[in-house]
Amino acid sequence: SLGILDATKKVYMDFCTQFLDPPPGAAVQPKFDEGLFQHSTTITEAVSLDSAEAEVCAATDMSWDPSTEALTPNCNIKLRDGAHSARRVLSRLFEADDVLGNVQGLFCHWRDSIGQLTHHSHDLKRIYHECTLEDDDAAVSSKFKNLRAAKHRIETEVTPLSRSVLAIGALVAFAMQMTMMFGRTDRRAVIGNTFLKCLNEELLLLAAMMAEAGNETMHLIRILD
């Protein structure tokens, strides 16, 4: 919390400093405007934060700190970031059920999932895109260029689930390509072969339902945004 408080103060000070960090040899020097700093911190009335204990404590210290002068003495409103907490709606549900967690893992979350493998390889993205171009039975007209399986937010894992279901023919063709192009012991071939062995109607139905739930959660997140 002390680190967050110090970082927040630095943001205010940088904002109130003219010619901040000039290039070497410049004729100007940084000039801190104390009046603007006092004005900016005094008129701050609200702060937006998530539920992390460190952030809540830092926000409290910003407006009231008996040991030092408060940074923002009139900041009396703490807004909780609803969009941030809404992202947990799906992640905690999927993690609470082993079957749903395994479906998510197989498609896009596990390190050895077909989604993660493709996300980190330009060559595999190109091959996947070629498979989507040849897929005439996809549920959408879009020809996906990648699965976009980033892991830093739950909504970024909704995309690979949705794309996998909407263009399942391309994904199956892509997995078959990996099993044929690379040696049997190659990691890419093993992942493709494992995916094909696990694929069945129940798995696809669960993935589709999870993608649909993810899209509903996306609407909730955007409303809270």
Side-chain angles (χ1 to χ4, degrees):
S1 63
L2 295 176
I4 294 173
L5 184 59
D6 290 340
T8 305
K9 184 176 181 179
K10 186 178 184 304
V11 171
Y12 275 103
M13 295 182 68
D14 288 350
F15 174 74
C16 299
T17 301
Q18 191 178 21
F19 307 125
L20 179 68
D21 194 19
V28 296
Q29 294 297 323
K31 184 178 180 181
F32 179 65
D33 190 334
E34 179 68 29
L36 179 60
F37 176 78
Q38 293 297 335
H39 174 71
S40 300
T41 54
T42 301
I43 66 171
T44 301
E45 298 180 356
V47 61
S48 178
L49 61 153
D50 59 31
S51 299
E53 184 178 356
E55 293 191 20
V56 175
C57 183
T60 301
D61 289 342
M62 282 172 55
S63 56
W64 181 82
D65 188 348
S67 61
T68 61
E69 184 178 351
L71 176 63
T72 53
N74 296 318
C75 182
N76 299 315
I77 301 174
K78 298 178 181 64
L79 304 172
R80 297 301 177 95
D81 184 359
H84 186 93
S85 59
R87 290 185 170 96
R88 302 190 183 99
V89 171
L90 273 185
S91 61
R92 293 187 176 178
L93 288 176
F94 288 172
E95 291 173 0
D97 186 275
D98 289 339
V99 176
L100 298 183
N102 288 336
V103 173
Q104 184 184 22
L106 179 68
F107 278 92
C108 59
H109 189 75
W110 292 337
R111 179 178 180 273
D112 286 338
S113 66
I114 198 166
Q116 288 299 315
L117 183 70
T118 309
H119 184 73
H120 296 286
S121 171
H122 293 294
D123 291 335
L124 293 180
K125 286 178 183 177
R126 176 180 53 79
I127 298 173
Y128 172 74
H129 183 46
E130 291 173 354
C131 293
T132 62
L133 293 175
E134 297 174 0
D135 184 17
D136 296 327
D137 296 325
V140 289
S141 58
S142 301
K143 301 298 182 182
F144 304 126
K145 294 184 178 180
N146 56 64
L147 289 170
R148 294 182 59 189
K151 296 175 68 172
H152 62 290
R153 286 284 188 268
I154 182 62
E155 63 264 31
T156 58
E157 293 197 352
V158 171
T159 301
L161 280 176
S162 301
R163 293 187 175 187
S164 297
V165 174
L166 293 172
I168 186 60
L171 191 63
V172 170
F174 173 60
M176 293 178 63
Q177 286 268 33
M178 289 197 296
T179 61
M180 293 184 293
M181 292 177 62
F182 307 107
R184 293 179 59 184
T185 58
D186 187 277
R187 176 171 173 259
R188 293 162 292 186
V190 172
I191 292 175
N193 195 36
T194 301
F195 177 78
L196 293 172
K197 286 183 177 180
C198 294
L199 201 60
N200 55 40
E201 293 178 353
E202 181 181 1
L203 185 71
L204 278 177
L205 181 60
L206 280 173
M209 295 172 68
M210 291 169 65
E212 183 65 23
N215 287 330
E216 293 293 331
T217 306
M218 287 293 294
H219 286 298
L220 172 63
I221 293 172
R222 297 302 171 234
I223 289 173
L224 293 173
D225 268 341

